[in-house]
């Protein structure tokens, strides 16, 4: 669910993420038993063993139209369309920190901390840690996003959802399919109880080369458990107003269709553009905080590789 937050705190109060990272370090000495001496072609449509120390830094300068499902939030100022970013890819001994460069934008693809468990010719199994849903707070939405104060005022801050997942990746001749089975950890509910639940996130990406263009045609389907959906768009008894009735959300789905393209301008510079349409299950729209269950994101920008 693509919901904005002006000050994203990806790892705040997420103690399980440190435990996850430590477990990866311990597990590496026991289970990284793949034959890393076998060379594999660095092909976008084949698994790549991340054994040697490699790094890459990418500066992303993008214009992005990024509507949200939260009622009354619109981009108005030019600065709200500008979204610079710094993408860092690092790998060593099966561990990696990477951005998903087959997708339209880093907020969609996410930056992932991972460890390669098993690697075969056309598939692999990883442990990963990434943000699956962005958080938001009502004060920022009202002050900077033009949000409806009568509707949003007094809402408890919704924090980002970090998920620890097992990922299966299947590589085809010109395509890649991935599916994550994750436990998502969010913030606390109105009773100060931890919020967490199941997330199943899948995406299919087909590479269509055309002259110097790399064009990716994508489709995704994601499932979010009831606790997580309710945390983001539910209205607790303490948040009820005359304009905001109590609401308990059910589990929900998100379907996505995407076209993303990259064009190299020089050895270091490349142009990229993409459009992503997201459709959420109908129960999402029933929330008093939501005015639509469909959004279309458009991005246009350049990237510089150091």
């Amino acid at each position: 669910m693509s919901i904005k937050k002006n000050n994203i705190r990806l790892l705040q109060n997420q103690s399980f993420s440190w435990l996850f990272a430590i477990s990866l370090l311990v597990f590496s000495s026991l289970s990284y038993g793949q034959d890393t001496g076998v060379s594999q072609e660095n092909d976008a449509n084949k698994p790549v063993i991340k054994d040697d120390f490699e790094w890459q830094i990418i500066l992303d300068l993008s214009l992005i139209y990024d509507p949200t499902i939260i009622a009354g939030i619109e981009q108005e100022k030019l600065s709200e369309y500008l979204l610079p970013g710094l993408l860092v890819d690092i790998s060593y001994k099966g561990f990696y920190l990477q951005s998903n460069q087959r997708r339209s934008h880093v907020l969609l693809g996410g930056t992932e901390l991972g460890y390669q468990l098993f690697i075969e010719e056309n598939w692999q199994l990883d442990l990963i840690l990434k943000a699956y849903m962005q958080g938001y707070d009502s004060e920022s939405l009202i002050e900077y996003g033009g949000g409806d104060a009568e509707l949003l005022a007094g809402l408890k801050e919704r924090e980002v959802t970090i998920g620890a997942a097992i990922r299966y990746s299947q590589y085809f001749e010109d395509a890649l399919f991935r599916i994550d089975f994750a436990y998502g950890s969010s913030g606390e509910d109105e009773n100060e109880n931890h919020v967490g639940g199941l997330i199943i996130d899948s995406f299919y990406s087909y590479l269509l080369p055309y002259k110097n263009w790399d064009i990716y045609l994508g489709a995704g389907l994601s499932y979010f458990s009831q606790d997580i959906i309710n945390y983001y768009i539910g209205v607790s008894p303490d948040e009820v107003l005359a304009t905001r009735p109590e609401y308990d959300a059910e589990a929900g789905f998100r379907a996505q269709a995407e076209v993303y393209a990259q064009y190299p301008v020089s050895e270091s510079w490349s142009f990229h553009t993409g459009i992503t349409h997201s459709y959420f299950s109908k129960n999402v729209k029933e929330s008093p905080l939501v005015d639509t269950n469909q959004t279309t994101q458009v991005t246009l920008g350049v990237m510089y590789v150091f």
Side-chain angles (χ1 to χ4, degrees), residues 219-277:
L221 182 63
S222 304
Y223 166 83
F224 301 94
S225 66
Q226 188 271 339
D227 286 347
I228 293 179
I229 292 291
N230 191 56
Y231 174 73
Y232 282 97
I233 61 171
V235 178
S236 68
D238 294 340
E239 297 174 323
V240 170
L241 297 175
T243 57
R244 193 171 63 207
E246 182 177 355
Y247 178 71
D248 290 322
E250 299 177 353
F253 292 86
R254 178 191 63 196
Q256 291 182 312
E258 177 176 296
V259 179
Y260 176 59
Q262 296 179 342
Y263 183 88
V265 179
S266 66
E267 183 176 349
S268 298
W269 288 95
S270 65
F271 167 83
H272 68 98
T273 184
I275 181 169
T276 302
H277 184 76

Side-chain angles (χ1 to χ4, degrees), residues 134-181:
Q134 304 301 327
Y136 66 95
D137 69 273
S138 58
E139 291 183 4
S140 294
L141 290 179
I142 294 170
E143 184 175 357
Y144 301 106
D148 185 344
E150 292 185 0
L151 176 64
L152 301 176
L155 284 177
K156 183 178 179 180
E157 179 180 356
R158 272 65 165 168
E159 298 185 7
V160 67
T161 293
I162 301 293
I166 294 178
R167 166 178 289 174
Y168 173 80
S169 301
Q170 178 68 52
Y171 294 82
F172 303 94
E173 183 176 354
D174 295 306
L176 168 64
F177 173 75
R178 285 177 171 170
I179 184 166
D180 299 352
F181 297 91

